[in-house]
Amino acid sequence: MRLYRFLSGPDDSSFCHKVTNALNKGWHLYGSPTYAFDAETKTMRCGQSVVKDVDGVEYDPLIKLGDF
C-alpha cells in the first residue's frame, strides 16, 4: 500500500523538524514544497507532501497515517 500525507506548519524550525521526522521514519518527499501567506494569522506557512510504501498492510480509511 502507498500512503500519502501532506505536512504543513509555520515557516519556522518546527516545520523542518516535522519533515525531518517523517523522512527518518521512511517517508519520501513527493513533489515540491509549498509556501503561502496565511491572511488570518498574517504569517507564512509551509507545506510538503510525503509518501511511503508499506508492505503487508491493507488500506483502511481509519488508519492513522502518522503511526507509519
Side-chain angles (χ1 to χ4, degrees):
M1 155 179 70
R2 176 165 266 198
L3 302 174
Y4 169 89
R5 292 175 65 194
F6 182 75
L7 306 175
S8 63
D11 179 23
D12 62 18
S13 65
S14 69
F15 176 74
C16 295
H17 285 284
K18 185 184 292 188
V19 174
T20 299
N21 185 42
L23 294 174
N24 281 288
K25 289 183 174 183
W27 292 83
H28 300 277
L29 299 177
Y30 184 80
S32 299
T34 61
Y35 194 61
F37 182 71
D38 182 338
E40 187 174 314
T41 62
K42 300 189 181 349
T43 60
M44 294 303 291
R45 307 267 308 161
C46 301
Q48 175 66 55
S49 297
V50 293
V51 294
K52 182 177 186 177
D53 291 319
V54 179
D55 293 329
V57 178
E58 291 292 322
Y59 174 73
D60 181 333
L62 300 177
I63 62 173
K64 186 173 179 186
L65 298 172
D67 289 345
F68 291 92

